[in-house]
Amino acid sequence: MSVSGGPAPAWHALPPAECLARLDAHSSGLDAAEVRSRRERDGANILPQAARSSPLILLLRQFRSPLIYLLLGAAAFSLAIGHAGDAGFIFAILLLNALIGAVQEGRAGAAAQALEAMVRQTARVRRAGRTGVVDAADLVAGDILLLESGDRISADARLLDSRGLHVDESLLTGEALPVAKDAGARTGADTPAADRVTMAHAGTMVVEGRATALVVAIGENTQIGAIGTALASARAVPPPLVVYLERLSRQIAVATVLLILLLGIAMAARGAGVYDILLLAVALAVSAIPEGLPIAVTVTLAAATSRMAKRNVIVRTLPAVEGLGACTLIATDKTGTLTRNELSVEAVLLPDGARIDRPGWCDVFDRLEPIARAAVLCNEAERTAGGEPVGDSVDVALLRFGGDVGIDGEGAVREALFAYEPVNRFASAAVRVNGRTIVYAKGAVETVAEMCDHADPALIAAAERLAGDGFRVLALAGRDVARLDECALSAPSGLALLGCVALLDPLRDEAIEAVRQCRGAGIDVRMVTGDHPATARTIARQLGLDIREDAVVTGADLRALEHDPAAFDARVAAAKVFARTEPAQKLRIVETLQRAGHFVAVTGDGVNDAPALQAAQIGVAMGRGGTDVARGASDLILTDDNFASIVAGVEEGRITFANLRKIVIFLLASAIAEIGMFLGAVLVGLPMPLTAVQLLWSNLVTNGVQDVGLAFGRGEGDELTRPPRGAGNRLLDRRALTLMIAPALAMAVAALLLFEWQLDRGKTLAEAQNAVLLATVLFQNVFVLSMRSERRPIWRTPVVANPLLALGVAAALLLHLGAMTLPFLQETLGTGLPDAPMLLLCGAIAGLVLLVSEATKAVLKRR
């Protein structure tokens, strides 16, 4: 079906005029009423998305685990032999764990969708004769799209005219090379999508050139919509971090099962029954294996994405959340990231090199008029209905400059245009004014000067001085022609140099502090820009980068070293600033820095930045001024286009990695302590220190409630004063193993001594197990509080710094208090409220283990 109802015609085979007629459109586009009508009829321009799982499906998904199957079998076995209480408790624990997991997974999914909704794709359209930018979801059939380099095409559209248009259709067709498009070409009705040169397809990207196109299909009716339908039902590939943690869990599971087999053999040798061995072994396995770790990791990453969003960093891929914390080098562009991206003309150079700054313009408007007229007429920016200029930032600044001087371009008719492309470094236009045809050119000073018959050396020298002061300098030239073909716009000649304009994009105030913070965090900052070397050097010095005169490497310098890889690598390694670089060179710079051992984050906003963004470990695109292709190649998007936000992202990435480590340490230490108690009891000939249901209860009230609280840690405030951890640093290193094993073994030994002492005093087995259970819960309460920081002592980390964790600890204590006082739980768990001396003793044991944990941290810190 077409978006307008009925069978979809072969739009690519129809002439543009017939396409316009079929959609009842006209060359100026649609008015507001027609847009609303078509939006109501056709719906939003949104591709099919994967449906969110229902609460029931989320709940049932939590039971997909071999360990859960074993526990269900144990519950069924309990029912079969008449132990209904044990079976009921196991079922209750499974259901409660499933509810917790479903809620956490649901929240994580909702957070991811909410964050994805913050990244909006836009399109430039002409409606009712006005040009503006709209949300891509608001496109309707009949809209007139205006396409240029760097745009991601948001709908299937029939080209109405095209100028040097090349489109990357690899997403749709698999064709690696850009495809040349031609609005006037003839194609047959049965021409396959890959050969439809008259069409621009949704999801593809404009590599170069410009075009206007008529939207003929949106959403699921586009060529890529069929692919989107299949993708919506596909299962997402888990992030590498989650894969690593799942592998870690499986490794722990294998080790645990082997230990349980040894425990079972020992119990059988002592005459234990099959039921006791089976139930205890399964319960110990569930207790020891951190099966909830992937959920905790997802919650940690989701919490981090929310925190980063509040700091203007939108996460497109979850691993990038903590990956940015491993960054050792940031290769940043200049414009819009380090600067405000608000270009304005601040100075003008006359043909003789005389400089006139903005405050003095009002006295010499007549001398500025020829330059301002060229700036306005050789210009692709347009004005919105409100009178605001829109378009390229340079063109917008030039249009405003013309307005300041009193030139608005009224009465001029553009006859031809050679649009600006970075590779050409200039633009030209033929304009009819008062019966005269004038060819204007604007662009880099050295490029435009070569087109002119004469260029005053004083003007060139003044332009160099302005560039050295941080200005962006453009030359403007023109000449009258008798005929349009007298001067080729693609290679103008014989022009008169009218003068130069100096545009300034001021440095962001916060950028200087952000670069200083990067140095303190051990992160190297390199600038990679297409600007003039002198401009790049000045901006670098303003930022506080300590650079020498020869520390600025140009694209020409790199080209000269292309056949000497060793010299190329050495030059890149030494340089702090790269100027006049091309896209391929920026990509090679990133790859060279990676080979040197750096974990590289790259910032960019243009189509020329996309290869480097894609190649970097972390690609960071601009959300405001960035192109769709740059955002599509990135892992993170800055909503404020601010370098300082990258530093905030680094800080959050380090906090996230630290939170993940703390969760792993806490879960595994608890497992080691429990396994150690049981193995120790078998070795010394004691009964089992805890029953199966007591193990399950301990797992519920401590691990299940408290570990997620660690995900919401907000850091210790010194994350940006530490060196980067690097990409190869795993969650479990020697430090982590020491932090978990020392207190876990202390707890296991203390619990066994308590258990044996209770039995020696004549206490019943149930009373002794009750004491061990209380000590275990208290140990995990204090240990999770100790693990809020790997370095700082517990008394230097305020409890209120992580209120959710404090609530988790309080909830665990209240739940166990209920287990010791409520009759139903007392009967099921075999618990009771100990007397005051025993409460004090269990508290003392927990305190002793806390001392071991804190002493371990202190020793590691001194080392």
Side-chain angles (χ1 to χ4, degrees):
M1 292 288 288
S2 71
V3 289
S4 55
W11 297 106
H12 58 279
L14 299 176
E18 187 173 347
C19 293
L20 288 167
R22 288 202 179 208
L23 285 173
D24 299 323
H26 48 83
S27 60
S28 60
L30 307 171
D31 59 24
E34 181 64 17
V35 169
R36 285 194 300 270
S37 174
R38 295 189 182 191
R39 176 66 186 276
E40 292 173 359
R41 180 190 66 195
D42 302 328
N45 178 33
I46 299 175
L47 291 178
Q49 298 180 357
R52 291 186 61 185
S53 300
S54 67
L56 179 60
I57 296 299
L58 286 176
L59 181 64
L60 294 176
R61 191 181 294 165
Q62 310 309 313
F63 292 93
R64 296 187 307 180
S65 167
L67 295 174
I68 300 300
Y69 303 151
L70 286 173
L71 199 55
L72 286 172
F77 182 73
S78 299
L79 279 177
I81 62 174
H83 289 219
D86 288 348
F89 186 78
I90 293 174
F91 282 129
I93 293 296
L94 285 174
L95 180 60
L96 188 55
N97 274 330
L99 286 171
I100 293 172
V103 170
Q104 291 171 346
E105 186 176 343
R107 286 181 178 176
Q113 287 202 355
L115 291 174
E116 185 68 22
M118 297 177 68
V119 184
R120 295 292 188 185
Q121 186 175 327
T122 58
R124 198 155 64 101
V125 300
R126 181 180 294 129
R127 288 177 176 169
R130 296 285 186 181
T131 299
V133 177
V134 301
D135 194 307
D138 293 330
L139 287 176
V140 297
D143 266 329
I144 303 296
L145 283 179
L146 305 178
L147 304 174
E148 61 182 19
S149 296
D151 285 349
R152 185 185 294 276
I153 301 168
S154 304
D156 280 5
R158 174 58 163 92
L159 298 175
L160 302 178
D161 68 76
S162 57
R163 288 150 285 167
L165 186 67
H166 287 75
V167 178
D168 178 0
E169 295 187 331
S170 57
L171 177 66
L172 184 64
T173 66
E175 174 62 49
L177 297 176
V179 178
K181 297 289 185 176
D182 183 1
R186 293 177 178 271
T187 60
D190 57 352
T191 302
D195 297 327
R196 295 174 186 173
V197 296
T198 60
M199 291 289 295
H201 294 295
T204 61
M205 290 174 289
V206 179
V207 175
E208 62 177 298
R210 281 162 170 72
T212 57
L214 173 69
V215 174
V216 296
I218 63 172
E220 62 182 11
N221 295 302
T222 61
Q223 289 292 321
I224 202 171
I227 300 174
T229 301
L231 290 176
S233 60
R235 184 182 178 185
V237 177
L241 180 65
V242 174
V243 173
Y244 164 71
L245 290 170
E246 288 178 346
R247 184 170 63 247
L248 174 65
S249 296
R250 288 195 297 270
Q251 292 169 346
I252 296 169
V254 171
T256 303
V257 168
L258 291 175
L259 289 173
I260 290 172
L261 286 175
L262 294 175
L263 179 62
I265 293 171
M267 291 178 65
R270 295 173 53 187
V274 175
Y275 168 75
D276 292 332
I277 295 174
L278 176 63
L279 190 58
L280 188 60
V282 174
L284 183 59
V286 173
S287 187
I289 297 172
E291 71 277 359
L293 185 57
I295 295 175
V297 170
T298 303
V299 173
T300 303
L301 297 180
T305 59
S306 298
R307 291 196 305 269
M308 293 177 82
K310 293 176 182 177
R311 303 182 74 174
N312 302 311
V313 182
I314 303 301
V315 178
R316 296 187 69 248
T317 58
L318 279 180
V321 176
E322 61 86 28
L324 192 57
C327 170
T328 63
L329 184 146
I330 299 175
T332 177
D333 62 349
K334 176 181 72 67
T335 304
T337 308
L338 297 170
T339 59
R340 297 177 185 173
N341 199 19
E342 296 176 356
L343 285 178
S344 64
V345 178
E346 297 295 322
V348 177
L349 296 178
L350 299 179
D352 60 0
R355 173 175 172 175
I356 305 175
D357 293 319
R358 176 179 284 275
W361 288 356
C362 58
D363 299 326
V364 290
F365 277 169
D366 56 330
R367 301 182 69 187
L368 298 179
E369 183 177 339
I371 302 173
R373 190 176 300 280
V376 170
L377 298 181
C378 188
N379 196 304
E380 295 180 66
E382 300 183 21
R383 295 191 180 274
T384 64
E388 281 296 310
V390 294
D392 178 78
S393 59
V394 173
D395 281 340
V396 167
L398 294 178
L399 210 57
R400 287 176 175 158
F401 163 58
D404 293 339
V405 178
I407 304 297
D408 56 13
E410 290 292 332
V413 178
R414 182 188 295 161
E415 294 184 327
L417 172 72
F418 183 77
Y420 177 81
E421 293 290 345
V423 67
N424 299 321
R425 302 181 64 205
F426 80 96
S428 60
V431 184
R432 189 77 175 170
V433 183
N434 298 327
R436 301 162 50 206
T437 297
I438 308 175
V439 171
Y440 289 111
K442 69 174 182 193
V445 176
E446 55 269 36
T447 301
V448 174
E450 293 180 356
M451 304 173 181
C452 300
D453 289 337
H454 173 71
D456 194 322
L459 174 61
I460 304 301
E464 288 288 343
R465 287 194 297 272
L466 281 173
D469 290 336
F471 289 91
R472 182 171 183 176
V473 184
L474 295 179
L476 294 149
R479 63 169 282 199
D480 288 4
V481 294
R483 300 184 315 277
L484 189 58
D485 60 356
E486 186 177 320
C487 181
L489 294 185
S490 61
S493 61
L495 305 183
L497 191 55
L498 301 175
C500 296
V501 292
L503 300 98
L504 180 66
D505 183 9
L507 199 65
R508 291 179 182 268
D509 296 334
E510 59 271 29
I512 298 175
E513 173 62 18
V515 171
R516 186 194 66 78
Q517 288 180 320
C518 283
R519 284 201 300 269
I523 300 173
D524 195 0
V525 178
R526 311 283 181 99
M527 184 194 301
V528 187
T529 178
D531 267 349
H532 192 282
T535 304
R537 182 184 299 111
T538 299
I539 293 296
R541 286 174 174 167
Q542 291 176 357
L543 281 170
L545 297 179
D546 185 18
I547 63 169
R548 307 182 309 274
E549 289 295 322
D550 60 349
V552 178
V553 176
T554 66
D557 296 333
L558 296 178
R559 279 194 296 274
L561 298 174
E562 286 181 350
H563 301 296
D564 188 347
F568 185 96
D569 291 353
R571 193 70 188 273
V572 169
K576 291 288 186 181
V577 178
F578 301 87
R580 286 285 194 256
T581 53
E582 300 170 359
Q585 291 174 331
K586 187 170 184 178
L587 172 61
R588 189 170 176 185
I589 290 168
V590 171
E591 292 173 340
T592 299
L593 294 171
Q594 288 172 327
R595 286 196 304 273
H598 285 290
F599 189 94
V600 181
V602 171
T603 74
D605 59 359
V607 63
N608 59 318
D609 298 317
L613 288 169
Q614 187 73 46
Q617 278 99 342
I618 301 292
V620 184
M622 304 299 111
R624 287 183 179 177
T627 58
D628 292 333
V629 63
R631 288 192 289 265
S634 67
D635 303 290
L636 304 173
I637 297 175
L638 304 184
T639 60
D640 60 352
D641 295 6
N642 194 335
F643 183 83
S645 296
I646 302 175
V647 180
V650 170
E651 183 178 22
E652 290 295 342
R654 294 185 176 186
I655 291 172
T656 302
F657 183 80
N659 288 344
L660 290 172
R661 272 176 61 95
K662 294 168 189 175
I663 290 174
V664 172
I665 291 170
F666 172 70
L667 290 176
L668 295 187
S670 301
I672 291 170
E674 292 169 353
I675 292 175
M677 283 190 290
F678 282 89
L679 288 178
V682 172
L683 290 174
V684 300
L686 291 174
M688 293 300 98
L690 292 174
T691 67
V693 291
Q694 285 173 342
L695 271 175
L696 290 168
W697 174 257
S698 174
N699 193 41
L700 171 68
V701 300
T702 54
N703 295 357
V705 176
Q706 296 179 149
D707 60 344
V708 175
L710 289 171
F712 295 91
R714 298 178 181 177
E716 301 173 25
D718 61 348
E719 283 76 19
L720 293 179
T721 64
R722 305 173 189 167
R725 61 179 174 83
N729 193 336
R730 293 191 171 187
L731 287 171
L732 289 181
D733 54 13
R734 289 184 180 180
R735 180 187 183 88
L737 291 172
T738 305
L739 285 172
M740 74 172 67
I741 291 175
L745 292 180
M747 178 58 207
V749 172
L752 282 175
L753 291 174
L754 173 66
F755 186 54
E756 185 176 20
W757 180 66
Q758 285 285 80
L759 293 176
D760 289 343
R761 290 178 57 207
K763 296 292 184 179
T764 65
L765 178 60
E767 289 174 325
Q769 289 173 333
N770 181 49
V772 172
L773 178 59
L774 175 59
T776 301
V777 171
L778 292 176
F779 153 66
Q780 292 178 344
N781 291 150
V782 298
F783 186 60
V784 78
L785 293 175
S786 177
M787 276 298 99
R788 288 174 301 156
S789 173
E790 292 185 34
R791 296 171 176 82
R792 293 182 178 178
I794 188 171
W795 57 85
R796 289 190 56 194
T797 309
V799 175
V800 294
N802 189 345
L804 288 176
L805 179 60
L807 287 174
V809 173
L813 286 171
L814 288 174
L815 284 170
H816 194 62
L817 179 62
M820 294 187 298
T821 56
L822 297 177
F824 168 72
L825 289 176
Q826 285 180 329
E827 181 180 352
T828 304
L829 295 173
T831 55
L833 187 63
D835 54 25
M838 182 52 61
L839 286 173
L840 291 174
L841 180 58
C842 290
I845 290 175
L848 176 64
V849 176
L850 176 62
L851 286 176
V852 172
S853 177
E854 292 298 313
T856 303
K857 290 197 294 185
V859 170
L860 289 173
K861 184 177 181 180
R862 282 197 297 270
R863 287 187 176 181

